[in-house]
Amino acid sequence: MASLKELKTHLRLEALGRRDALDPDWRIEASLRMAGYIGTMDLTHGPVVSGFMPIRSEADLRPSMAALADRGARLCLPVVLDRETIVFRELVRGAPMVSTGFGTSGPGPEAAVLDPDIMLVPLAAFDRRGHRLGYGAGHYDRAIARLHAAGRRPHLIGVAFDCQEVERVPDEVHDVMLAEILTESGLRTFAAPG
């Protein structure tokens, strides 16, 4: 019988393989559809929204972030400080971008550090219950835990393509569920746990 770690690795590799196989032009069109869905998203959870710059075959959130900024959202991007920690620096139009780790870029050290009210979260796989499987480094898990420890409960929205859905993500007691998932098919809300 496979260990939990082996099962997660298998699911992650399969889901990312399906994502990698998507036609790049199709991914662009799908990312633009996502912007249409997120442009109508409820911002009552708060005005500070964290997004991310795409790496590898991820959805491109730049159109979605522009739509949110046009509606008054204050944007921020994750920045890897070390192997354990990410912070969210404010993204301001026209500000210079620097290399921020993992092949992506973001605001430099002069940018304000913000605590997001809404987090658009990258992931490798998700299931219909709202559980997510990240890339394995645990950066977002630790960032969410840090925000919870500070008394903040950001609204978590996973970002993926439909092909990344799996039957069941193996979950553990400490896992935090997504409130919603954004895919090329729309913005889907998950049932509240309990």
Side-chain angles (χ1 to χ4, degrees), residues 11 16 43-44 81 85 106 151 153-154 181 188:
L11 288 172
L16 292 177
L43 290 176
T44 59
L81 295 182
T85 310
R153 295 280 184 242
I181 186 84
R188 186 184 336 164

Side-chain angles (χ1 to χ4, degrees), residues 167-188:
E167 183 65 32
R168 185 177 183 94
V169 170
D171 53 289
E172 299 176 71
V173 175
H174 65 272
D175 288 338
V176 178
M177 291 176 52
L178 299 168
E180 298 177 272
I181 186 84
L182 173 66
T183 72
E184 72 274 15
S185 297
L187 190 60
R188 186 184 336 164

Side-chain angles (χ1 to χ4, degrees), residues 13 26 64 72 97 103 105 118 121 143 154 162 166 168-169 174 183 192:
L13 290 173
W26 183 90
S64 295
M97 302 285 271
S105 59
I118 299 169
V121 183
D162 287 330
V166 297
R168 185 177 183 94
V169 170
H174 65 272
T183 72

Side-chain angles (χ1 to χ4, degrees), residues 86-100:
I86 61 173
V87 296
F88 298 90
R89 290 184 184 156
E90 186 169 18
L91 176 64
V92 178
R93 285 184 177 150
M97 302 285 271
V98 300
S99 174
T100 56

